[in-house]
Amino acid sequence: METWRDGEKLLSEIYDLLYRMGLTANYTGFFRISYAIYLSVENPQRLALVTKWLYPEVARHYGTTWQAVERNIRSAIAIIWSQKTPILTELFGAPLPAKPRNAQFLALVAGHFSLSPVA
């Protein structure tokens, strides 16, 4: 399996995808969800225990609590969901019947990057 060689390039790709989904950097959750996706691509096992492993790691990075991270990510997903951009259907392969939960969204987006080729 190929891996991302450049963390900055991966983060840039994540930012670009979130922008295309309708989320902008003026939301606190933008950078927190980006970092959560980044960590999930680097180690997909983090997705098994988001509240015990992933959120605390994001919280440490940003100097906040895991509860704030969870709330920020949930809010970011709500913003993305409200935009109803075609990229959602394209990314997930079909229209989603309901707004995905945090772990579902993170897993789907991280999976997209895990399957993307290394430049």
Side-chain angles (χ1 to χ4, degrees), residues 44-58:
Q45 292 179 334
R46 288 184 176 106
L47 292 167
L49 296 168
V50 292
T51 58
K52 298 209 183 278
W53 192 3
L54 182 61
Y55 296 161
E57 195 165 338
V58 174

Side-chain angles (χ1 to χ4, degrees), residues 38-47 53:
Y38 172 81
L39 292 174
S40 298
V41 171
E42 293 294 311
N43 185 351
Q45 292 179 334
R46 288 184 176 106
L47 292 167
W53 192 3

Side-chain angles (χ1 to χ4, degrees), residues 68-81:
V69 169
E70 186 276 334
R71 183 179 59 248
N72 293 146
I73 290 174
R74 187 172 7 99
S75 296
I77 293 168
I79 291 164
I80 289 168
W81 184 254

Side-chain angles (χ1 to χ4, degrees), residues 3-112:
T3 59
W4 289 88
R5 286 176 261 177
D6 183 358
E8 289 181 23
K9 177 163 176 37
L10 174 56
L11 274 173
S12 176
E13 294 286 330
I14 293 168
Y15 295 161
D16 180 60
L17 180 62
L18 292 174
Y19 280 125
R20 291 187 295 142
M21 289 180 168
L23 187 67
T24 57
N26 62 313
Y27 294 102
T28 302
F30 179 87
F31 293 103
R32 293 176 183 177
I33 196 170
S34 299
Y35 192 60
I37 293 166
Y38 172 81
L39 292 174
S40 298
V41 171
E42 293 294 311
N43 185 351
Q45 292 179 334
R46 288 184 176 106
L47 292 167
L49 296 168
V50 292
T51 58
K52 298 209 183 278
W53 192 3
L54 182 61
Y55 296 161
E57 195 165 338
V58 174
R60 273 190 297 280
H61 184 78
Y62 288 101
T64 189
T65 65
W66 73 264
Q67 294 93 338
V69 169
E70 186 276 334
R71 183 179 59 248
N72 293 146
I73 290 174
R74 187 172 7 99
S75 296
I77 293 168
I79 291 164
I80 289 168
W81 184 254
S82 72
Q83 300 297 314
K84 298 286 187 198
T85 59
I87 190 75
L88 286 174
T89 301
E90 183 181 317
L91 183 67
F92 300 130
L96 296 173
K99 180 177 64 123
R101 293 182 171 186
N102 287 13
Q104 292 171 317
F105 184 87
L106 293 170
L108 288 167
V109 176
H112 166 75

